[in-house]
Amino acid sequence: MRLTPQQQAALDHPGNVLLTACPGSGKTRTIVAKLVSEVERLRGTPFAVACITYTNAAVSEIDTRVSAHLMPDDHLNYLVSTIHAFCLHQILRPFASRVPGFSGAMQVLTPDREEFTEIADEAAEAVGRYDLRYEDYELFGRIGLDVSGKYIGSALTDDMIRLAAPHFMQGAAARGFIDFASILYLSYCLLRDDPEVARSVATRFQSFLIDEFQDTTEIQVEILRLIHAQSKSRFFLVGDPAQSIFGFAGAKPELIEPFAVDIGASRAYSLSWNFRSSRPIVEHAEKLFQRAPAMTSEGKNKHCTEPVRFSAQDDTFDAITDEFLPSIERMGLPLGRSAIVAKSWTELYSLARRLRDYGIKVVGPGARPYRRSRLFANLAEQLGAAVTDGHRYNVRQLERAMFNAIQDMTGTGRWDIFGYDGRRTMIALMRTARSLAEHQDGVNWMESLAAETGAILVRDGWIEARRQNDLLTSAKDMIADMHHAEIDVSNLSIEDLGMFASPDKALRLTTIHDSKGREYAAVAIIGLKEGRIPDYRSRTAAAIEGDKRLFYVGVTRAEQLLLYVYEHDYRNGPSRFLGEDGVGIV
């Protein structure tokens, strides 16, 4: 694996490291190289390296890259995981008997589960609220706990959430669920109060690679500190304070330096070469946050001279159809590697539907004609992609879909799904999906596949016989969702289902937060008006700086084409970040 001198220098340091990495600097490549070298060092031993990253998408990407460089049995010596999954599977569940009130079989209450909405509704009703909006459900997903067990995150900024938070957590536990905040807090308590637990975790994992360290919360830092105190693990921390955008979830970039000092991490290493963006885009980013050393464009796009553009229209839809899409076609960029990003989902829902009606394939809010939380949804999408993409399909995605579906049905994390037995089941599912596709399409294919998938999972011992029809029931629920959304199900194809597993076939609509860690050939940032970015509620310098970092992340997702979109508003002009206080384009 070829590395730059900057990347190799950080990799070669024998002790703890804090690596500052600019956008597009190849930090994922550096982490993968570090992980592979650690696995090679630990191969044949009972020890492992843990790579902790922020999102499931990042987990999938790193896991896929790493697996290409390692031997089949090397999965015993490494783990790629989010911090919540790590705490749940490596701390909480192994030591469940030591945690009062925790059942190891508890399922995780994720925001895309139907039960999440029901529990949030009940919690809100308990404090006198009966009219929750989409934004309110997002706030329930942002409830956190600090090291003292006090509510933080959205509970600090919204009075209803502050009052409803205890009811929400109690309702989750009563239904056999555990929420994200409780996973971290209970894990912290275990490590703090039971030295044997901390010693066991530190002994097993001799190295920790922490991605997106700028978005680490106080309780996450304390979990790492308790593990480090056992003097058995080394730490490789990678982050960028300029890209810290999860303050609403408790992220504190100011914790980076003190923790690095406490563990004796070298802070001499920095990645300043941007291999993603063109020079005009990098120049805009540098105007927002000037770096030392300065970020420079060094990749294949450094010779691209396409200027960054600004569009002011009466309707955002017109800006996209009149300027953004024609520019993508003019430059010969793939539609599937293009994205419209906004501060929140609310700005994207109606736009997604209008673009679909206009004949543009889109992936994003309002694009799926069924609930994403349906049990069979992800499996159906992955198997649809396996059918339509053929040899180009990434089988690791199906493995994770299988793992998640089995965990939802059984309440148990079957990590052996990633071994030989899981691969055998996966091949059977793909063969079945392709065989059925020879005679069926669309919803008929999906129903038949759901029934066959349930039978295969029972046959191979992944689920009990009584759960065999759960996937078929879910498929029928998906079809009901489509009818409710007035979708012509007779014209739904396998390719339509697979599109969501292979989003490179469609225009991506996403929030800036969800775009973090991703890159696109073309990016249009919409909703760029004063009062929105920065938010009208951002009255302190720190809050405005946080909004500026959010805008910075949006800018640095783009490779060749970047369009700023402002929809005329007689009350609010273009964002200040487009003017002298930012990129200076207006």
Side-chain angles (χ1 to χ4, degrees), residues 116 133-142 154 344-345:
F116 183 95
R133 302 161 298 174
Y134 180 84
E135 294 85 352
D136 296 316
Y137 294 115
E138 281 192 322
L139 292 175
F140 273 104
R142 297 174 184 173
S154 57
S344 73
W345 293 118

Side-chain angles (χ1 to χ4, degrees), residues 174-391:
R175 295 192 184 199
F177 289 98
I178 186 168
D179 59 274
F180 286 138
S182 296
I183 289 174
L184 295 184
Y185 179 68
L186 293 176
S187 297
Y188 165 73
C189 292
L190 260 178
L191 295 171
R192 180 196 63 194
D193 300 334
D194 196 330
E196 184 179 345
V197 175
R199 187 162 53 251
S200 174
V201 175
T203 300
R204 164 74 171 134
F205 295 98
Q206 293 201 342
S207 293
F208 284 85
L209 316 183
I210 312 297
D211 189 18
E212 306 289 3
F213 191 64
Q214 76 278 352
D215 291 319
T216 302
T217 65
E218 180 185 15
I219 197 166
Q220 293 171 19
V221 167
E222 292 307 312
I223 287 171
L224 297 176
R225 194 188 306 278
L226 289 166
I227 294 172
H228 175 265
Q230 300 300 314
S231 302
K232 297 179 180 294
S233 307
R234 291 186 300 179
F235 290 78
F236 189 82
L237 315 171
V238 184
D240 179 14
Q243 296 185 73
S244 180
I245 60 173
F246 291 95
F248 61 81
K252 295 184 177 180
E254 64 269 22
L255 299 175
I256 297 175
E257 286 291 324
F259 181 71
V261 171
D262 289 349
I263 67 172
S266 172
R267 292 165 286 160
Y269 301 101
S270 176
L271 305 182
S272 61
W273 296 357
N274 184 309
F275 297 99
R276 174 188 301 157
S277 304
S278 67
R279 286 178 179 173
I281 294 170
V282 167
E283 288 171 1
H284 271 232
E286 277 291 290
K287 289 177 183 178
L288 293 168
F289 290 101
Q290 190 170 0
R291 293 174 174 273
M295 177 169 62
T296 58
S297 176
E298 302 291 343
K300 63 182 180 181
N301 296 315
K302 68 178 180 181
H303 299 300
C304 176
T305 59
E306 180 74 16
V308 178
R309 301 183 186 277
F310 170 71
S311 175
Q313 298 255 14
D314 291 331
D315 191 332
T316 296
F317 177 80
D318 293 336
I320 298 301
T321 55
D322 295 347
E323 299 185 51
F324 187 55
L325 294 176
S327 294
I328 290 172
E329 185 174 1
R330 170 178 56 82
M331 295 176 67
L333 304 177
L335 183 67
R337 296 210 59 247
S338 305
I340 301 171
V341 300
K343 183 178 180 181
S344 73
W345 293 118
T346 55
E347 299 167 273
L348 295 168
Y349 273 107
S350 61
L351 181 60
R353 291 189 175 93
R354 291 178 70 184
L355 287 170
R356 283 191 70 182
D357 293 340
Y358 191 69
I360 303 297
K361 287 189 174 183
V362 297
V363 173
R368 276 183 176 84
Y370 47 80
R371 292 187 185 181
R372 187 180 183 181
S373 59
R374 297 298 189 193
L375 179 63
F376 190 55
N378 195 16
L379 271 174
E381 292 169 3
Q382 296 299 335
L383 289 167
V387 169
T388 56
D389 292 357
H391 69 278

